Amino acid sequence: METMLLIGTRKGMWIGRSPDRREWTLTGPHFPMTAVYAACIDTREPGPRLLAGTMNEHFGPQVSWSDDLGETWSSTPEGGIRFPEDTETALEQVWQLTPGTEPGVVWAGTQPSALFRSDDRGETYEIVRALWDHPHRPEWGAGYGGQAIHTIVPDPKDPDAMLVAMSTGGVYRTADAGASWAPSNKGIKAYFFPDPWPEFGQCVHKVAAHPDKPERFYAQNHHGVYRSDDGGDTWTSIADGLPSDFGFPIVVHPSNPDTVYVFPLVADSDRMPPDAKARVWRSDDAGETWRELSDGLPEPFYAAVMRDAFRADDGPAHGLPAGLYLGARDGTVYASADEGATWSQVASHLPDVMSVRAAVLP
């Protein structure tokens, strides 16, 4: 077995490979001078496929794929994701690429906020029109990073059900294969509005779930960390015990739905780790209590970790402890082969890291 790690940065992608998740060999940059906000390792049959959502300032956005572990890359001529002409809209950025519940299905979240479906493993896509035509869409705003769907969580037990999240706009769900969508933000605070408890408009930074308990979600908000135990109908704060409730990523342990990780920053106005220390915080009781993980992480440390730059691999499916990976905007990447207990540096001096993905390959 070996583990593959995709590191998407503002100036290309690096690919790491390791037999033990401690010593790494890196290649890259792939897609040099191209921003890679979205990366995906689809391990489903007929074999592993790598996907990358890239943005070149001259040629524009594109989805590329590789079936030989990054040796060569292909892309659809004139773009695999295109907005219909009647929308009078052009694709600005691909923010998320997620394998679906059904064979061959890949979902893409974009800027401006739209959801696209692919039935050919990520080569061509069709817009989910009901979400694009939602009456709330004219009021979805642009967060600091742009107005985009950055989270896609398909229900592993029901191919008709899905949750998406966007900045800004909040959480939306469908139960009828995308024919209709409803906001699902009750309990998530938007302190920047006159009414801090709106139906929609929240700046949700990331939502995570576990396939064994699809009715539970965890959310890292723009100030706020939350859990839902009723499929997103309501949300409850789980921020007590953390040094701050502001951050971008949230990660669920791949084999334990009660274990969740965050990387706090001081505040939206002070986007540095508390006390200038890189720290991951872990809860093993669904957010009731938290503990700090620091062994091998640096201090002082002043960089942020973005919403898709902290992920877990599928180690437990292969008889291994869960591996964790985080990349920062100072170009450093850290990995843990023991579920966060200890960390080691994978890379340094890369461009600022925007996305990481990892998978154990047989």
Side-chain angles (χ1 to χ4, degrees), residues 163-193:
L163 176 149
V164 301
M166 67 189 79
S167 297
T168 63
V171 174
Y172 283 75
R173 292 180 298 162
T174 182
D176 53 15
S180 64
W181 295 82
S184 302
N185 301 291
K186 187 176 182 180
I188 298 178
K189 191 173 184 179
Y191 82 91
F192 41 80
F193 285 157

Side-chain angles (χ1 to χ4, degrees), residues 306-322:
M306 304 312 292
R307 57 174 53 86
D308 275 310
F310 183 13
R311 304 288 288 201
D313 66 21
D314 55 346
H318 301 272
L320 300 172

Side-chain angles (χ1 to χ4, degrees), residues 81-104:
I81 297 178
R82 304 189 73 176
F83 278 83
E85 289 188 10
D86 67 289
T87 64
E88 299 182 344
T89 302
L91 176 66
E92 297 178 40
Q93 183 72 263
V94 179
W95 279 75
Q96 187 71 189
L97 293 163
T98 302
T101 303
E102 301 160 288

Side-chain angles (χ1 to χ4, degrees), residues 220-221 223-225 238-247 262-268 270 272-274 281 290:
Q220 172 66 66
N221 194 49
H223 280 296
V225 184
I238 55 171
D240 286 350
L242 291 171
S244 167
D245 65 358
F246 185 84
V262 293
F263 189 94
L265 304 176
V266 173
D268 53 1
D270 186 357
M272 300 181 188
W281 288 76
W290 296 89

Side-chain angles (χ1 to χ4, degrees), residues 96-114:
Q96 187 71 189
L97 293 163
T98 302
T101 303
E102 301 160 288
V105 172
V106 174
W107 298 94
T110 68
Q111 177 185 344
S113 288

Side-chain angles (χ1 to χ4, degrees), residues 26-286:
L26 293 183
T27 63
H30 305 257
F31 315 107
M33 297 305 298
T34 297
V36 182
Y37 279 54
C40 175
I41 304 175
D42 188 349
T43 58
R44 299 173 298 175
E45 294 296 333
R49 168 170 280 195
L50 312 184
L51 294 161
T54 64
M55 175 58 188
N56 182 281
E57 292 186 1
H58 180 73
F59 295 105
Q62 179 64 281
V63 176
S64 299
W65 68 90
S66 174
D67 293 327
D68 55 14
L69 301 181
E71 293 295 324
T72 61
W73 293 87
S74 302
S75 57
T76 301
E78 300 184 7
I81 297 178
R82 304 189 73 176
F83 278 83
E85 289 188 10
D86 67 289
T87 64
E88 299 182 344
T89 302
L91 176 66
E92 297 178 40
Q93 183 72 263
V94 179
W95 279 75
Q96 187 71 189
L97 293 163
T98 302
T101 303
E102 301 160 288
V105 172
V106 174
W107 298 94
T110 68
Q111 177 185 344
S113 288
L115 179 68
F116 287 80
R117 174 185 169 122
S118 171
D119 291 310
D120 55 12
R121 304 188 70 209
E123 298 181 20
T124 60
Y125 296 79
E126 295 289 334
I127 194 170
V128 178
R129 195 69 195 225
L131 186 56
W132 177 257
D133 291 336
H134 198 284
H136 292 170
R137 184 175 65 82
E139 298 182 62
W140 295 342
Y144 185 73
Q147 194 236 332
I149 288 180
H150 52 64
T151 295
I152 304 170
V153 186
D155 188 320
K157 299 180 180 180
D158 181 358
D160 291 341
M162 177 184 291
L163 176 149
V164 301
M166 67 189 79
S167 297
T168 63
V171 174
Y172 283 75
R173 292 180 298 162
T174 182
D176 53 15
S180 64
W181 295 82
S184 302
N185 301 291
K186 187 176 182 180
I188 298 178
K189 191 173 184 179
Y191 82 91
F192 41 80
F193 285 157
D195 174 7
W197 305 103
E199 181 186 20
F200 67 96
Q202 286 83 349
C203 189
V204 175
H205 286 173
K206 197 66 184 176
V207 178
H210 193 282
D212 291 346
K213 205 164 190 176
E215 72 278 8
R216 173 182 287 170
F217 296 103
Y218 297 95
Q220 172 66 66
N221 194 49
H222 188 105
H223 280 296
V225 184
Y226 298 94
R227 186 186 74 232
S228 174
D229 295 312
D230 53 15
D233 287 343
T234 59
W235 298 84
T236 302
S237 175
I238 55 171
D240 286 350
L242 291 171
S244 167
D245 65 358
F246 185 84
F248 288 95
I250 193 162
V251 176
V252 177
H253 189 284
S255 64
N256 185 349
D258 290 335
T259 296
V260 61
Y261 303 85
V262 293
F263 189 94
L265 304 176
V266 173
D268 53 1
S269 59
D270 186 357
R271 300 185 180 200
M272 300 181 188
D275 301 319
K277 298 176 180 179
R279 296 292 185 263
V280 169
W281 288 76
R282 170 176 173 155
S283 174
D284 292 310
D285 51 15

